[in-house]
Each structure stands twice: as structure tokens, then as C-alpha cells.
Amino acid sequence: MARPLPRILSNGSTQLARSRDLARTAADSATDVLHPLITITRGLRRLASAGRRKWAETPKDRRGPLLFLGASAVLVLALVPYGPLLAVITVMAAAAWQGRDRGPATPEGPDETQTQRLHSLYEAMVPHFSTADDPAPLYAHGGEWDKAFPEYAFDTTGRITHLLVRYPAYFPDGEPESRARVEHLLSAKSGRGREYHFEWDAEGNELTVTVLAPLPTDIAPQRFVTAPGETVLGFTDPTEVQRTLPLTHGTGQRDIPPVVWRTGTRSTEPHLLVAGRPGSGTSTLLRCIALQALQYGDIVVVEGGGTDDHACLTGRDGVLAVESALAGALASLEWATAETERRLIAANRARQAGHPPPEDTKRPLWILLDRPTALSHVAAAEGHKDPLSLLQVPLRHGRAANVTVVVAEQFDGLDALTESVARHTRARVVLGPATAEHLEAVLGAPPQTTPVAQLPSGRGYARLGAGPVLRLQVPATPDPYDEATTEADRQAVLDLLPQRTTPADAEPERTPAQPEPVPAEAVTAEAVTAEAVTAEPVVVTAAAEPVAAEAVTAEPVVVTAAAEAVTAEPVVAKAVVAEPVVAKAVVAEPSQASS
């Protein structure tokens, strides 16, 4: 026969709850009884702190008289009848006065408006957290909301900023659809236009709702304190990452948590895909990445939108090409493919020979593409190769060759991306307004915050591989050549750009080459028989008087240079003396010599 469970196990939860209430009541009673003693102790501590501060501020030459005055006062009090008692009473009264609560008395519990808001939220959640079969429902129409909401906080406007929600154990908190319905209801009832962070505690059947503060949008681009191979995509909430960067923010400095993307040979997410609406800040993120990449590597920029958003990079040191036409984009991507293969072969040969990789294979190469699908449409119309098809080798072998690919595309062009781009770009960023379904489709997981309809430029979400979805604010990196850019932002970008040099794809200017010296050995040419030709009189500029040229019969001539140039025009020689000079013919045709 089965034995019944012990009483402590059958109704242990009830006894624990009763014990918790008794302990809380005893603690409150002890606090009320000992409140005068706590106040006097606090006052004595404040008086002692004030005495130490006063003693530290007293000059050293005055401390002796001050000690003598204090000792005299103590001696007088000791000699006066009831002096010590009066001194103790005075000190206790002063300590009680100093230890009193100086802050304004906070009302216990919410006021009438806040109570009404919590009650309305409780009633709205009854259909989601209650069933007809529950004998003791936590949520019921007309029930007590304080049991469901043990913690809450409001801002100065009366809207909820923090809320702890308890829900029954049978609620399917593991289903994303059920969670989404509750999150949507809480964000709508607590106040629209704000971002809420939801933290589900499935073990304790509790949901913590927190209103997130807006991320700073006025952080200018600067030299971030990062290691080689680390790229700052933007900034996020301090509760999401365990690292901060010292940044110049306005006139001071702040420590702000960044979203750091690690690239290179040891990266798990070597390539990046950026998606967003027009004006959401995708080109801004590419410029920010380019400024950081130029510190340690070279970049190739392919711009398919035709807006010249990256014209500020043209001709800079480390910028190999900035292409916006189809022919230039194809040539640049073909070169990038060949360069990736060359790096792989060079590194493999060095590894087989037991040598370290060559230095030219260690320098990072970045391939930045802004709206490449626009060029894909042009290539399909003109019958050329798709530029995205040339990214297969850099995407597949880029990590081993230290080549990084960043693709920025708008939402309407994501379907035109090739399978290689979608498969190898495991680091994802979505900027601008987007629905939760759209974010999940691009990032691979839903965010823990509620998306809002209006977002500033550069605001969105980031997910690096299989990590969590983080809020992201891209540093303000506008186009310095744009007329709408302020002078401060323009100067901040220009200060980070390298010096302007000759573009890598442009040929350098050619200067006339100096004639090479002729070898000293004489080369004997075949004898050429020439007929006598009467030359016209030629005036020689070096002589004071004109010298008539006589006809010279050509004889076998020894040529001192290779007989390559052939001409039939008469040759005029400048004489340096007034006497007739006979010039040797260097051609195979009859020539005229002047003296």
C-alpha cells in the first residue's frame, strides 16, 4: 500500500509562504522598534564625518590651540554639576537631528493614476494568463493586481518604466507566438513609441519588462581603442555586453559599450551583410567600416546605387578602387578573386616549405559592396557576367586569405542576392524600421525588444553568428561632400581619411625617357653605294657666316649604332667651327650632309 507523502512535502509551499510572511512582519516590527537607535547611530556617524572633515581643513598651526580649547571644554563639563549628563543629552539630541531622514517622504504604493493604470493592464492580461479550469486563478476579472505585479516603477509622466509580471505555470512561455502576443499587449498598454526589453524567466514563471533608454546618436567617428582585426559596428545597451570603449562624446569622454565584430583568419563570422530601407544608414555603416579598415589594410569599393556616397574615398592611400560602373566593378571583382587565389597559393607554398606566410598575404583586404544588385540588373540586361557571381571565391576562402566581404543591400534587393552571399555572411545588421517577422527572417532570431515605427538614421539591430540580437546605433559618419553635412561632422570624417594619392587603377604620368648610352663596340654595317647628290646651301646657326655644303660621294660607312631607324629626309648638322665638316651617313639611303 502506497504511503502518503509527508506533510512538509504535500503542503510545503503554503508553509514556506506563511513563514516568509512571518519573517517579513517580524523584520518590519524590529525596524519600527529600533528606528530611534538607527537614527541616532546614523547621526553619530555624520557628526564624526563632519569632525574629521573639519580637522582636515584646519591648518596645522591652529590645531594646537583647537585641542587646548577642546580639552578645556571637557574639563569644565566634568567639574560642573550634572555636566557629563548634559553633555551626553546634547550629543544625543544633535545626533538625532543629524540622523533624521532629510529626503521628502515618498508615498507608500502607487497613487490613484498609477493604480488605475496597473489595474487596466491587469484586466487586459486576464485572457492570456487564465483558463476556466484553474481553481485558484492568478488572473481573474476583478482580481487583485498586486499579486501579479509585485514590482513596478513609473516615470515623472506616470508611465511604466519597470514591471515584474508573474504568470501561471501552464502558460506556454516556450512558444514564440504566445510570447509575442503578451509582449505586444504590454508595449501597447505601457506606452507606445518606446522600446521595451522583455526577459522571460521560464523557471520562475516571471517576466521582467524594462523600458530602454534611447541610444546616443551624436557620437562622431574616431579612432576606437581596438586591436587589429576588431571593427566597431556601433554601440548598444550596457546590460548586453561586458566591454566598454572610452569615447569622446561632445566636450567630454564617456565609456560606452560597443558592438565589436572580429574579422581575420580566426574569425567565426568573417563576412557581413547589412540590410535596411533607403535612408536607414547602410552607406553610413560602410563608410564607418572603411575608415577603420584603412588603418591596417586595403579596400575595394563597388557602389551600385550611383549616388557617389563613397566618393570621399577615391584616391586615398589604401583605397585600391572605387567603382560605380559595371565594367569597373567586374574588373575589380575579378582582380579580387585572382588576389584571393594568389594569397592562398602563396600561403600554402610557404607552409609547405616551413616558412611563415608572406607579408603581402597578411595585410587585410576588404571588399565593400553597396547595393550590388543594381549592377546585377544592368549586367543581365547587357548580357554580362553577374558581379555577385565573382564573390564566390572571396566569400568561401576569404578567411584563410585574410579577405573580408561586406555587402549592403536594401530590403527590396535581398531576394536578388546569390546563394553564396546569403550562406557565407553570418554576421548580420538590420537598420531602420522593420517588423519583428522581417527582423527574424534576416537575423535568424527575433529581438528581445519591441521594434518601433520611427527610428533615427543608423539605428537597428545586429547579430554576430549565433549570438544574441543586440540593439545597434552606428556612429554618425556622413558623406563629407554632402551639402547637408555639418562642418563638425565633415571635419571628423576628413580627419580620419588617409592622405590622397594616385588611384591604384590609374596609370602614372609618363615622362620622356633619356636616350640610353650606345655600346662602345662598333658594329660594321654592309657597304652602301650612294650616288652623289648636290646639296642645297644651308645656313649654319653656329657659324658667323653661311658655309656652302659640297657634294660628298658616299663611301662604305662604319655605323656606330644599330641601324634600326631608316629615313630618307636630309640631315642638317650644326657645325661648331667655320671649316667644312663631312658628316657620316647613318641610313641606308642617300643622304645630304651639311657643314
Side-chain angles (χ1 to χ4, degrees):
M1 184 177 64
R3 299 179 59 184
L5 291 174
R7 188 174 182 180
I8 186 64
L9 297 178
S10 61
N11 57 355
S13 60
T14 305
Q15 292 183 358
L16 290 176
R18 187 181 298 107
S19 301
R20 192 183 302 113
D21 294 340
L22 291 176
R24 187 181 297 110
T25 303
D28 295 340
S29 301
T31 302
D32 295 339
V33 173
L34 300 177
H35 181 70
L37 182 59
I38 295 173
T39 302
I40 293 175
T41 305
R42 188 190 305 121
L44 290 175
R45 186 172 62 252
R46 292 177 180 177
L47 290 175
S49 300
R52 287 195 301 269
R53 185 167 57 255
K54 185 65 176 178
W55 177 260
E57 295 175 356
T58 302
K60 293 183 178 181
D61 56 345
R62 296 184 181 180
R63 292 182 179 180
L66 184 61
L67 286 176
F68 178 75
L69 181 61
S72 301
V74 172
L75 180 60
V76 171
L77 288 176
L79 296 177
V80 172
Y82 304 102
L85 181 59
L86 292 176
V88 171
I89 294 175
T90 303
V91 171
M92 293 295 105
W97 178 259
Q98 290 291 332
R100 72 189 190 282
D101 295 332
R102 301 181 181 182
T106 57
E108 297 182 0
D111 55 16
E112 184 178 356
T113 304
Q114 297 173 356
T115 302
Q116 182 63 30
R117 184 181 290 272
L118 291 174
H119 183 72
S120 301
L121 184 60
Y122 174 83
E123 292 290 337
M125 298 178 66
V126 169
H128 300 277
F129 289 152
S130 65
T131 58
D133 300 335
D134 192 354
L138 181 61
Y139 289 84
H141 293 291
E144 299 179 358
W145 59 264
D146 53 349
K147 295 182 179 180
F149 306 146
E151 296 180 6
Y152 47 84
F154 295 85
D155 57 8
T156 56
T157 61
R159 296 198 299 177
I160 296 176
T161 59
H162 175 76
L163 184 65
L164 178 61
V165 180
R166 291 177 178 173
Y167 57 88
Y170 52 78
F171 175 75
D173 51 7
E175 299 179 1
E177 295 80 6
S178 301
R179 287 189 176 189
R181 287 194 297 266
V182 174
E183 292 176 359
H184 178 72
L185 175 62
L186 289 173
S187 60
K189 292 293 184 180
S190 301
R192 298 181 181 273
R194 299 185 298 175
E195 291 186 84
Y196 296 87
H197 180 267
F198 298 96
E199 183 179 356
W200 291 83
D201 183 9
E203 296 181 357
N205 298 325
E206 292 181 348
L207 170 62
T208 304
V209 184
T210 307
V211 178
L212 298 176
L215 297 175
T217 60
D218 56 347
I219 298 179
Q222 51 196 282
R223 293 302 182 195
F224 302 116
V225 185
T226 56
E230 293 183 345
T231 303
V232 177
L233 300 179
F235 310 99
T236 185
D237 300 303
T239 58
E240 299 296 333
V241 295
Q242 300 179 355
R243 177 180 178 181
T244 58
L245 291 180
L247 301 177
T248 302
H249 187 204
T251 58
Q253 288 188 351
R254 291 178 55 188
D255 292 340
I256 300 180
V259 178
V260 178
W261 172 40
R262 292 175 176 85
T263 58
T265 57
R266 298 185 181 276
S267 173
T268 57
E269 299 85 21
H271 308 297
L272 176 68
L273 175 62
V274 184
R277 295 182 180 180
S280 59
T282 55
S283 299
T284 300
L285 179 56
L286 254 65
R287 277 190 296 270
C288 182
I289 294 175
L291 293 178
Q292 300 178 64
L294 288 174
Q295 290 184 264
Y296 309 104
D298 303 324
I299 65 173
V300 175
V301 181
V302 175
E303 183 183 0
T307 56
D308 292 336
D309 288 337
H310 307 283
C312 61
L313 301 173
T314 305
R316 302 287 180 175
D317 187 16
V319 181
L320 304 181
V322 178
E323 300 292 345
S324 58
L326 178 60
L330 290 175
S332 299
L333 294 180
E334 288 177 355
W335 174 87
T337 300
E339 176 65 13
T340 304
E341 295 173 348
R342 184 197 68 81
R343 292 187 175 203
L344 290 175
I345 295 174
N348 188 26
R349 290 177 178 175
R351 191 181 301 108
Q352 291 179 356
H355 301 298
E359 293 297 330
D360 57 349
T361 63
K362 295 181 180 180
R363 184 171 177 83
L365 175 62
W366 292 72
I367 305 175
L368 309 179
L369 299 96
D370 194 354
R371 293 196 63 193
T373 57
L375 294 177
S376 301
H377 297 321
V378 176
E382 297 182 359
H384 295 287
K385 183 184 298 185
D386 187 1
L388 291 175
S389 63
L390 300 174
L391 295 176
Q392 185 174 2
V393 173
L395 286 171
R396 179 174 296 179
H397 305 287
R399 179 171 58 181
N402 212 358
V403 178
T404 304
V405 180
V406 180
V407 180
E409 188 55 63
Q410 297 181 3
F411 285 140
D412 54 359
L414 292 179
D415 296 337
L417 296 177
T418 60
E419 184 181 356
S420 299
V421 175
R423 183 172 62 252
H424 291 93
T425 53
R426 299 183 65 249
R428 301 290 179 89
V429 173
V430 177
L431 300 178
T435 60
E437 293 78 9
H438 210 164
L439 291 174
E440 185 176 1
V442 178
L443 301 176
Q448 295 183 345
T449 61
T450 54
V452 295
Q454 300 295 332
L455 289 176
S457 178
R459 271 283 289 108
Y461 299 89
R463 190 188 186 203
L464 304 179
V469 179
L470 305 175
R471 287 205 309 166
L472 178 70
Q473 177 61 53
V474 179
T477 316
D479 183 8
Y481 297 160
D482 190 0
E483 297 179 355
T485 304
T486 61
E487 184 61 28
D489 294 341
R490 179 183 295 107
Q491 193 61 38
V493 177
L494 293 177
D495 290 343
L496 298 180
L497 287 173
Q499 296 181 356
R500 188 178 295 277
T501 56
T502 303
D505 54 351
E507 296 184 359
E509 297 181 358
R510 299 183 180 273
T511 57
Q514 298 295 332
E516 298 180 357
V518 181
E521 294 81 9
V523 180
T524 304
E526 297 181 0
V528 179
T529 303
E531 298 180 358
V533 180
T534 302
E536 297 292 334
V538 179
V539 178
V540 182
T541 60
E545 296 179 0
V547 180
E550 298 179 357
V552 181
T553 304
E555 293 181 359
V557 181
V558 177
V559 183
T560 59
E564 295 179 358
V566 179
T567 177
E569 298 179 0
V571 179
V572 180
K574 294 182 181 180
V576 297
V577 295
E579 298 180 359
V581 179
V582 179
K584 294 182 179 182
V586 293
V587 295
E589 297 293 337
S591 60
Q592 295 177 350
S594 60
S595 58

